[in-house]
Amino acid sequence: MAEQTILVTGSTDGIGKATARALAFQGHRVLLHGRNREKGRAVLAELEAATGSDRLSLFIADLAVQEQVRDLAREVDRASSRLDRLINNAGVFMPEREIAPGGIEMTFAVNYLAPFLLTHELLPLLERSGPARIVNVASIAHRSVQSFDRENLPGFEDYDGYDAYAVSKVGVIAFTIRLGRTLEGTGVTANCLHPGVIETKLLRAYMGRRGGGGPPEKGAEVEARLAISPDAGKVNGGYFEENRWTRPSHLALDPDVQEWFWETGLDLTGMGQW
Ligand SMILES: NC(=O)c1ccc[n+]([C@@H]2O[C@H](COP(=O)([O-])OP(=O)(O)OC[C@H]3O[C@@H](n4cnc5c(N)ncnc54)[C@H](OP(=O)(O)O)[C@@H]3O)[C@@H](O)[C@H]2O)c1
């Protein structure tokens, strides 16, 4: 495939970093993103040395802070005349409840609202660059949610770390399907995925010292596949679990749930009617 310009959020560690490396090896122009400048620079230097690519660049934004998400979109737009792929990979698992600006629970802020906002902010650039793809990183953990208390969001006062994580991923999938419908006919598609159980610091935050997952390169294969493979370009609003397209949970497929996440995203990011 011809060179694509690809933004990978959360590419300073784990699966995102391995995805950026794989895409750089394939000759694509990769826009790295992280929240810590020092760590980001070290990863940029490491990937440049490992891949021999001079087509990498680095963007810094804390995705828990909506103003920084907006700045990230503006900086990408300024730095690049095109964006062919947006991979919303960054994510957190928070064993203890933390609150992001606006009284929003951290997992919900980073895993759901940040990709929701970044995607909307970057849509004009993606549409200008079409055919383009949005790839959202969800999780098989979403299947554990049978129902959730809408009143408990966005502050998640009654907190359980796994629950918060799983609900945020229901949101990612519901958003992707809803977005896919909106994008019909625009030349941009949106799909989401579960990368497998992968040994990263996120998995360790959930499982304890050793998570026992596969190597980041395995998760990266899934992300790169949805971003690059020609067959994935024909799917819109789909969910890919490890090695196949499949149906997500009933909850994520429920149009009422999809609408609720969409409206909540608009409300909490101040986008109102979009
Ligand atoms: N690992 C698994 O088994 C598994 C399974 C299913 C789904 N996933 C999903 O895969 C994605 C990648 O996770 P991972 O396992 O690779 O985790 P990871 O190794 O902890 O990497 C997460 C990345 O997101 C960045 N990030 C976290 N919070 C951020 C914030 N507030 N602002 C900006 N960047 C932020 C991290 O930056 P720092 O480098 O500064 O920490 C890092 O680059 C996540 O969406 C996760 O939910 C993972």
Side-chain angles (χ1 to χ4, degrees):
M1 174 171 280
E3 179 195 275
Q4 306 291 311
T5 299
I6 306 172
L7 171 60
V8 186
T9 70
S11 39
T12 49
D13 216 323
I15 305 167
K17 179 178 166 186
T19 300
R21 179 195 296 259
L23 294 170
F25 262 122
Q26 290 174 27
H28 299 295
R29 182 170 167 240
V30 183
L31 316 185
L32 304 168
H33 157 263
R35 59 182 153 181
N36 178 306
R37 192 169 297 279
E38 227 170 284
K39 184 171 178 178
R41 282 189 178 141
V43 170
L44 174 64
E46 181 191 329
L47 295 191
E48 280 173 342
T51 64
S53 173
D54 60 356
R55 313 282 290 134
L56 307 181
S57 51
L58 173 67
F59 295 82
I60 301 298
D62 182 346
L63 299 181
V65 183
Q66 291 185 9
E67 210 31 58
Q68 293 195 29
V69 177
R70 291 194 168 88
D71 286 347
L72 171 62
R74 275 192 285 270
E75 277 172 37
V76 167
D77 193 61
R78 256 199 308 271
S80 182
S81 58
R82 57 182 305 114
L83 184 65
D84 304 293
R85 306 287 187 265
L86 165 61
I87 305 183
N88 283 308
N89 161 84
V92 286
F93 181 95
M94 305 296 296
E96 305 292 335
R97 178 172 177 260
E98 278 183 33
I99 295 298
I104 299 163
E105 187 277 322
M106 187 64 76
T107 321
F108 196 65
V110 174
N111 293 9
Y112 178 65
L113 288 176
F116 182 90
L117 179 56
L118 185 63
T119 298
H120 280 88
E121 295 285 317
L122 285 172
L123 261 180
L125 180 59
L126 286 159
E127 283 184 15
R128 285 203 302 278
S129 313
R133 301 184 199 177
I134 298 158
V135 176
N136 293 329
V137 180
S139 170
I140 198 170
H142 85 277
R143 295 195 183 280
S144 70
V145 187
Q146 305 306 319
S147 66
F148 63 97
D149 180 4
R150 296 179 183 188
E151 300 302 312
N152 198 24
L153 285 161
F156 240 110
E157 278 82 11
D158 182 11
Y159 193 71
D160 173 82
Y162 188 79
D163 216 32
Y165 181 75
V167 168
S168 75
K169 296 301 189 178
V170 174
V172 170
I173 299 172
F175 163 53
T176 306
I177 297 169
R178 173 67 172 76
L179 179 65
R181 282 201 295 276
T182 307
L183 293 175
E184 249 357 296
T186 63
V188 184
T189 58
N191 292 297
C192 58
L193 62 90
H194 165 66
V197 176
I198 305 296
E199 183 68 37
T200 64
K201 73 175 157 49
L202 183 146
L203 188 70
R204 288 192 291 277
Y206 164 50
M207 304 275 276
R209 264 164 51 84
R210 256 195 69 77
E217 291 69 29
K218 247 190 118 43
E221 264 172 41
V222 183
E223 295 194 12
R225 174 170 177 172
L226 261 64
I228 298 302
S229 82
D231 52 308
K234 298 182 193 124
V235 184
N236 184 26
Y239 171 62
F240 192 90
E241 201 168 82
E242 220 160 337
N243 56 13
R244 67 198 172 106
W245 294 101
T246 185
R247 286 166 71 84
S249 69
H250 289 301
L251 196 66
L253 286 169
D254 182 340
D256 176 56
V257 170
Q258 291 166 11
E259 222 42 48
W260 183 83
F261 274 105
W262 186 268
E263 290 300 324
T264 300
L266 292 177
D267 276 0
L268 293 177
T269 57
M271 280 192 286
Q273 283 305 312
W274 180 74

